Amino acid sequence: MNEEGRGPSAEPLLALIGEHWESIRAALDDEQHALLLTRLTALAQAPADDTMAVRRALQGIRLALRPLPFGHPVRVLVDGSRLMAAPPGPAAVTEALALLSLMTAPEPAPAGPAPAATHAAGAGDGRGPDPLLREPALSAAEATARCGGVPPSELIRLADPPNGDRYPRFQFPAGGGTPHEVVLEVNRLLLADIDPRGAASWWLGANTWLGGPPVSLLGLLPDHELVGAAAALVEGE
């Protein structure tokens, strides 16, 4: 604890993640690990001088670490620190960048001749189209009209520089109207305002808790089951 009694600062938590990243990967399933990476990405992309944005990104990381087993050194630190101490500084963003490089480093390629390069039409830098941006979506103007004003911050908003911001369509009823209340509630849990890609991936990806992609179960499952599945992910239950 620091002298104010508010728990450790951000940098020791990030350093401990780096020290134990292999056991973290082993303890998390693919979905949980992907969420942790997206939370780290949100911190790495946060403006270093925006204390509130950095704090919220760190909170997202803490939530993504909750599925770690009790007794894991990182889980012990997370459970023992409800608030960060001093306001986090630029070092937190720098540390997140270093962590991402460590945790996403590719496995060494087997020896042998390199495959010939191929370039698919429209592939640009070779990574191919962004699958999240291929999903049906509303434009910013359409979302504003459906919401009767500025869309709430809980809505997933995906940046698409060539075409403008996109709001995945599943967040709205098919026949028109304002956003689904359950979507807004789940998005609040998933911190969609600071990590929209992570929230969109949760809705659109496979989900072992629910037995299918959550987006396919909107209107079929009771709302509380969707909220419970999201809560289970962020709370580690």
Side-chain angles (χ1 to χ4, degrees):
M1 299 287 285
N2 66 30
E3 61 184 5
E4 296 181 355
R6 291 191 296 171
S9 61
E11 287 77 10
L13 172 61
L14 297 172
L16 197 63
I17 294 171
E19 181 181 346
H20 293 279
W21 73 270
E22 290 181 327
S23 64
I24 290 172
R25 180 64 188 97
L28 300 179
D29 63 27
D30 290 344
E31 181 184 348
Q32 293 164 345
H33 183 250
L35 179 62
L36 175 58
L37 292 180
T38 58
R39 299 302 197 212
L40 284 168
T41 300
L43 175 57
Q45 295 176 347
D49 59 350
D50 188 336
T51 300
M52 183 59 67
V54 174
R55 277 189 181 278
R56 298 197 68 192
L58 285 165
Q59 176 66 0
I61 291 170
R62 293 177 67 249
L63 290 173
L65 292 167
R66 292 298 302 279
L68 289 173
F70 294 107
H72 189 285
V74 175
R75 176 67 188 268
V76 170
L77 182 60
V78 168
D79 286 348
S81 57
R82 292 292 175 245
L83 294 172
M84 291 301 173
V93 174
T94 303
E95 187 74 19
L97 285 167
L99 271 177
L100 283 171
S101 297
L102 175 68
M103 298 175 73
T104 60
E107 296 292 331
T118 58
H119 298 280
D125 60 0
R127 291 177 296 179
D130 186 332
L132 292 180
L133 295 181
R134 293 202 303 267
E135 291 294 323
L138 303 182
S139 68
E142 291 169 330
T144 298
R146 293 284 289 270
C147 294
V150 177
S153 61
E154 295 92 339
L155 279 180
I156 296 167
R157 175 174 56 86
L158 300 175
D160 184 9
N163 303 304
D165 290 342
R166 298 169 60 82
Y167 290 79
R169 188 178 298 165
F170 71 80
Q171 300 178 105
F172 299 84
T178 56
H180 294 290
E181 286 298 327
V182 66
V183 168
L184 296 179
E185 186 173 357
V186 167
N187 286 352
R188 278 191 288 271
L189 287 171
L190 299 177
L191 301 179
D193 57 331
I194 63 170
D195 184 13
R197 295 184 63 83
S201 297
W202 184 87
W203 278 107
L204 298 167
N207 188 292
T208 54
W209 180 284
L210 296 172
V215 69
S216 68
L217 301 171
L218 270 172
L220 300 178
L221 281 183
D223 290 352
H224 70 83
E225 292 191 26
L226 290 169
V227 174
L233 176 62
V234 300
E235 295 173 7
E237 294 179 353

